Amino acid sequence: MTSRTIPTALDPARARELRREAVDVPVILIGTGTCGLGAGAGAVLEAVRTLPAVQRRGARIVEVGCIGLCALEPMLDVQLPGRARLCFGRVDPGKARTVLDAMLGEGAWPELPLFQFPADGLQAWDGVPAIGDHPFFAPQTRLVLRNCGLIDPRSLDEYRARGGYEQWLRVLAQMTPAELCAEVERSGLRGRGGGGFPAGRKWRFAQETAAERKFLVCNADEGDPGAFMDRAVIEGDPHRLVEGMAIAAYAIGASRAYVYIRAEYPLAIANLSVALDQARQAGYLGRDIAGSGVDLDVVVKKGAGAFVCGEETALILSIEGRRGMPRPRPPFPAVSGLFGCPTVINNVETLANLPELVRIGADGFAALGTAGSKGTKVFALSGKVARTGLVEVEMGTSLADVVHAVGGGVPGGKRFKAVQIGGPSGGCIPAAHLDTPVDYESLKELGAMMGSGGLVVMDEDNCMVDVAKFFMDFIQRESCGKCIPCREGTRHMLEILQAITRHPRSEHGHMALERFQGVVNLEDLAGVIKDASLCGLGMTAPNPVLSTLRWFRDEYEAHIFGRRCPAGVCTELLSYRIDAALCNGCSRCLRECPVDAIVGEPRRPHTIIQERCVACGNCVTACHRDAVLVS
Amino acid sequence: MNGPVRSVAEILAAHPDRGREHLIPLLQEVQEAQGFVSREAVAELGAHLGLPSSRIYGVATFYNQFRFQPLGRYHVQVCRGTACHVKGSQGVFQAIKRYLQLEAGQTARDGLFSLEVVACLGACGLAPLICVNGEFHGGVDADSAVKILRRCRREAESA
């Protein structure tokens, strides 16, 4: 394969058209990321395609990625020639039909759009807020997500029309790898995968190591439950990642790069593969790129579902076709990694930051954020919050702003309790500390960590002991089993948490003693696991327990000594009674009870024999008349 | 499934390279084609890559993705991510287990359903979430989840 000629710059008029600043026919944009499809965008797309008004006007239908406002998916945008683009949320086929009939024909508007996208030369709509004024978007600063939801992820030209691959070509022509490493180091960009190691320094280690072959690996094995930033970026703007990878690979001198991506993300894999093919075709990847003598190929490797493979050394072993069990460091991967060669592993978000970082320069990037944490951070906001979605804020923004301003607070008039940040390695932050700025150090001080960016909001109905148990159960299953503190320690911590939440009647032998010693043992064990584990997974495994213990010790005590769950989540600690006035004797609960604790004649109110009940809660879900009372 | 199932030999023929790093992609391809990794497939893979079956099982069982029994006609995945958990996925999972009479990782005897728990499907904005044969159903509760499965059963019976 010989060098390909890079496509020439886009003609300005064509670029405007691709940016949809000037459209000649109505354009209909539908968000078909995984969350959009899950909410029903597929049916909307089908309905729009067959709509007579759409066919009559020759409207163009474009599938875009996710703009980030998951709570209002599926989203449908309409742009008429000469007018600003409008966005409608929670669209179903019926609503899509009324909206489009109104906009493409003469009908009246059924309801107001969510917001519009103001742009030069396009006439704005009266009475419709601009996207920048929408409470979800107003506090955000979008670098990584700037194209998500706006461009067709399968079109190289649309990415190029927004400045795509310009920075890659500029770096290639004007900077040496050492200069590039220095620039990134000066910008203060830190790894977005959780650890927060300065990206430029990591590159410099690899760049300075002399070797015949070097590798760049993009870690897209987003295993944290509650995180979906990487998926959305790859689905919505895959070329940004490809360009970022090209820049990073050039900096360290790698001619081969891998994307290690979760197999559970089929759409992201598909879009990324399309983007890679296009980049190869256009000559942005391949041999002798743009006549510079630099070679680069990018290979997609599908992960096979192991949380521990987010750890660098485990990830490398997994690519090599082995069990993904971490090994002791040093040697660090930057010195000896994949196939024994120097390897740099960066997270998707770290790499996706690069095109923008190079464009605005190290100083421009360093101007964003706080003293120790520069730039922005993408969070996946979910749980008990009104506007779930993907949020990118400047470092140093307070968590309260993210949860209340962007997320719209806790719905249903419930009281906010805590926000879980950083996944299974992170911790919970209570309401009292919600004004904490988002940066690596402040979060660590509170016993949490930045992690990859999952933010799960919890309200008064969530039990913190149950949350700790949930994470311990996850970590205990995902521990690779190589080192004993993590394998046995996490298991024992889980057992203690189970003892705390077990029904009094199922306690045997020393279980009561174990329960009373619970908190002390948990703290001791956590210390040992933290100190003695081999890899990051083990060292951070106790965090969810420690942070909930730190802020919600009263809940633990209520479970241990009071034998009750204040939030009413731990089913085994509740007691059940049937309301005779509501029960119609349908016997559903009787059939579901595993211990025959429910008695009663058919069509007569049933009763629960308390001495037999093991508090499994089956009767509550079985009852169709809400006659089982829980206390 | 559509089209004839690709045999292991056909998959191996498409991968002349016998490096160890191809083991996981090959296992993935076999599973994609056949729905699970059979004993015979492991033996054939071993012969191709020059690895004993024990090694292959060592790798395959380490990863959550690989299954060693065939899937049901409807493969039900229940997300147990954090966001789903705080929104009550435990109750959904219990209801599904009760309705299907299956434990996680099992396939029903009649081959109609198989049940799997996944760590996170990555669509946390729609929690709680289940996925049936690749199709996402967001914002479910115990009743609506069971309703979805009932519909699958009816569909299978009428076909």
Side-chain angles (χ1 to χ4, degrees):
Chain A
M1 210 163 79
T2 52
S3 168
R4 287 173 183 275
T5 25
I6 297 287
T8 48
L10 289 164
D11 158 63
R14 172 83 181 124
R16 271 178 64 77
E17 201 183 312
L18 285 166
R19 285 197 298 270
R20 282 185 272 279
E21 284 162 11
V23 294
D24 45 3
V25 289
V27 182
I28 299 158
L29 303 106
I30 298 174
T32 53
T34 298
C35 15
L37 290 173
V44 173
L45 189 64
E46 255 342 281
V48 170
R49 278 207 181 113
T50 53
L51 212 62
V54 170
Q55 287 165 352
R56 199 172 52 239
R57 293 280 303 266
R60 202 175 310 132
I61 299 169
V62 181
E63 291 181 46
V64 292
C66 173
I67 197 157
L69 190 44
C70 301
L72 297 179
E73 296 276 11
M75 293 182 122
L76 175 114
D77 293 14
V78 187
Q79 185 173 0
L80 299 180
R83 302 300 302 265
R85 172 175 166 185
L86 288 175
C87 177
F88 297 85
R90 287 238 170 91
V91 176
D92 55 22
K95 185 169 162 187
R97 214 164 291 139
T98 27
V99 164
L100 290 173
D101 280 344
M103 288 200 67
L104 301 179
E106 295 297 310
W109 285 25
E111 67 176 284
L112 279 181
L114 293 172
F115 45 79
Q116 60 178 333
F117 298 76
D120 285 343
L122 296 182
Q123 192 196 339
W125 298 86
D126 290 335
V128 180
I131 181 167
D133 296 331
H134 190 272
F136 183 80
F137 293 98
Q140 298 197 41
T141 311
R142 295 192 151 211
L143 299 185
V144 172
L145 299 180
R146 65 171 20 205
N147 288 345
C148 278
L150 300 181
I151 66 167
D152 177 356
R154 293 180 176 235
S155 161
L156 171 64
D157 280 347
E158 286 196 18
Y159 181 64
R160 289 181 61 218
R162 291 173 187 262
Y165 290 107
E166 276 170 20
Q167 304 311 318
W168 166 224
L169 296 179
R170 196 171 68 80
V171 162
L172 209 49
Q174 298 172 7
M175 289 173 100
T176 66
E179 280 169 12
L180 185 54
C181 288
E183 175 89 353
V184 171
E185 205 169 344
R186 208 158 54 82
S187 76
L189 175 68
R190 295 170 67 173
R192 299 287 194 249
F197 193 78
R201 203 182 309 161
K202 198 180 201 173
W203 289 5
R204 189 157 50 82
F205 291 146
Q207 198 257 328
E208 286 169 354
T209 310
E212 216 163 273
R213 286 196 304 167
K214 294 181 193 174
F215 296 104
L216 173 77
V217 178
C218 167
N219 182 354
D221 189 42
E222 194 170 42
D224 284 25
F228 54 94
M229 300 76 53
D230 298 351
R231 173 181 66 69
V233 171
I234 302 176
E235 279 177 9
D237 195 8
H239 281 291
R240 178 170 298 273
L241 176 64
V242 177
E243 184 174 3
M245 286 185 74
I247 294 171
Y250 174 70
I252 61 169
S255 56
R256 199 175 171 81
Y258 290 91
V259 184
Y260 188 84
I261 185 168
R262 280 186 86 187
E264 285 90 338
Y265 289 171
L267 185 62
I269 295 173
N271 283 3
L272 181 64
S273 305
V274 169
L276 287 172
D277 281 342
Q278 290 170 340
R280 274 184 217 117
Q281 282 294 322
Y284 295 120
L285 297 176
R287 277 184 184 277
D288 189 18
I289 299 163
S292 62
V294 173
D295 301 342
L296 177 64
D297 193 25
V298 179
V299 181
V300 176
K301 278 267 179 187
K302 277 195 277 176
F307 179 65
V308 68
C309 287
E311 207 277 340
E312 295 190 332
T313 55
L315 191 154
I316 288 171
L317 286 168
S318 175
I319 294 181
E320 290 175 356
R322 293 164 200 278
R323 288 165 69 94
M325 294 162 100
R327 62 160 175 76
R329 296 178 295 180
F332 285 92
V335 177
S336 170
L338 191 59
F339 305 116
C341 306
T343 304
V344 165
I345 299 172
N346 280 141
N347 172 267
V348 171
E349 196 188 328
T350 317
L351 293 166
N353 259 302
L354 293 171
E356 204 54 25
L357 187 155
V358 175
R359 190 177 71 82
I360 58 181
D363 297 321
F365 191 82
L368 290 167
T370 63
S373 312
K374 302 296 185 192
T376 60
K377 178 75 192 96
V378 183
F379 289 106
L381 187 60
S382 62
K384 304 280 185 68
V385 64
R387 286 187 288 266
T388 54
L390 212 60
V391 181
E392 182 172 358
V393 290
E394 192 178 332
M395 293 275 192
T397 309
S398 79
L399 278 171
D401 277 348
V402 178
V403 172
H404 292 301
V406 178
V410 178
K414 300 274 186 181
R415 198 168 44 85
F416 170 88
K417 188 185 247 177
V419 58
Q420 210 284 343
I421 181 166
S425 316
C428 294
I429 292 174
H433 290 274
L434 209 58
D435 51 355
T436 308
V438 170
D439 69 46
Y440 291 93
E441 276 69 34
S442 308
L443 291 173
K444 210 168 265 176
E445 254 167 51
L446 291 177
M449 66 185 267
M450 184 75 87
S452 53
L455 267 184
V456 183
V457 179
M458 297 174 215
D459 68 6
E460 53 188 312
D461 290 343
N462 291 114
C463 166
M464 301 317 282
V465 179
D466 178 66
V467 169
K469 193 167 77 171
F470 165 79
F471 281 116
M472 243 27 245
D473 180 51
F474 176 79
I475 284 288
Q476 178 268 132
R477 269 185 286 118
E478 293 293 337
S479 171
C480 76
K482 184 168 182 171
C483 71
I484 296 163
C486 174
R487 184 183 69 212
E488 300 299 328
T490 54
R491 193 180 179 90
H492 199 68
M493 283 180 84
L494 176 65
E495 276 170 13
I496 294 173
L497 291 170
Q498 282 168 342
I500 291 176
T501 52
R502 188 175 289 124
H503 188 263
R505 259 177 36 82
S506 350
E507 264 186 0
H508 310 287
H510 294 301
M511 282 175 184
L513 189 64
E514 199 168 83
R515 167 161 60 83
F516 279 116
Q517 293 176 334
V519 169
V520 179
N521 283 349
L522 280 175
E523 281 173 341
D524 279 357
L525 261 171
V528 174
I529 297 173
K530 271 189 151 177
D531 290 343
S533 290
L534 175 62
C535 76
L537 183 137
M539 284 188 266
T540 56
N543 282 354
V545 173
L546 287 178
S547 78
T548 46
L549 253 179
R550 182 166 162 193
W551 307 116
F552 301 97
R553 191 177 271 261
D554 55 321
E555 288 196 25
Y556 278 85
E557 283 166 357
H559 282 77
I560 295 172
F561 305 116
R563 302 267 63 201
R564 60 189 183 82
C565 175
V569 173
C570 301
T571 46
E572 294 198 20
L573 295 183
L574 305 172
S575 66
Y576 301 83
R577 203 163 56 75
I578 293 175
D579 187 340
L582 286 173
C583 178
N584 66 349
C586 70
S587 295
R588 277 200 178 91
C589 55
L590 188 146
R591 285 194 297 273
E592 292 291 345
C593 181
V595 289
D596 297 328
I598 300 178
V599 289
E601 301 275 314
R603 287 182 293 284
R604 293 269 171 76
H606 290 15
T607 42
I608 298 176
I609 306 172
Q610 294 299 330
E611 290 72 36
R612 271 195 214 160
C613 175
V614 291
C616 65
N618 281 5
C619 45
V620 182
T621 34
C623 185
H624 283 206
R625 298 170 62 90
D626 296 327
V628 182
L629 304 177
V630 184
S631 55
Chain B
M1 310 271 159
N2 30 14
V5 175
R6 275 174 85 203
S7 74
V8 178
E10 280 173 304
I11 292 169
L12 294 180
H15 289 266
D17 194 348
R18 294 175 181 218
R20 170 82 184 246
E21 72 269 26
H22 298 292
L23 173 57
I24 293 174
L26 279 171
L27 281 167
Q28 286 170 331
E29 244 179 85
V30 168
Q31 175 157 303
E32 210 167 290
Q34 310 197 327
F36 72 113
V37 179
S38 65
R39 220 179 257 246
E40 295 74 25
V42 169
E44 277 182 73
L45 266 173
H48 181 76
L49 296 173
L51 287 170
S53 296
S54 57
R55 279 279 166 78
I56 297 181
Y57 272 116
V59 171
T61 53
F62 182 85
Y63 296 99
N64 297 330
Q65 189 190 8
F66 299 113
R67 287 179 297 264
F68 305 98
Q69 42 176 318
L71 284 186
R73 190 162 147 199
Y74 294 98
H75 183 53
V76 183
Q77 293 171 303
V78 182
C79 180
R80 290 286 287 129
T82 320
C84 290
H85 181 75
V86 303
K87 287 202 167 179
S89 67
Q90 182 69 30
V92 173
F93 179 51
Q94 296 297 343
I96 291 177
K97 273 207 312 199
R98 251 202 323 275
Y99 174 70
L100 296 178
Q101 300 282 319
L102 288 176
E103 287 297 320
Q106 290 183 336
T107 303
R109 286 217 181 141
D110 59 5
L112 194 58
F113 285 104
S114 51
L115 181 60
E116 186 186 352
V117 172
V118 288
C120 183
L121 286 166
C124 311
L126 307 171
L129 193 72
I130 66 168
C131 177
V132 182
N133 284 355
E135 194 186 327
F136 286 66
H137 302 272
V140 294
D141 57 23
D143 286 343
S144 66
V146 169
K147 223 173 259 171
I148 292 166
L149 301 181
R150 269 208 201 102
R151 205 163 56 220
C152 294
R153 181 165 299 212
R154 268 203 308 276
E155 197 179 278
E157 277 162 3
S158 63

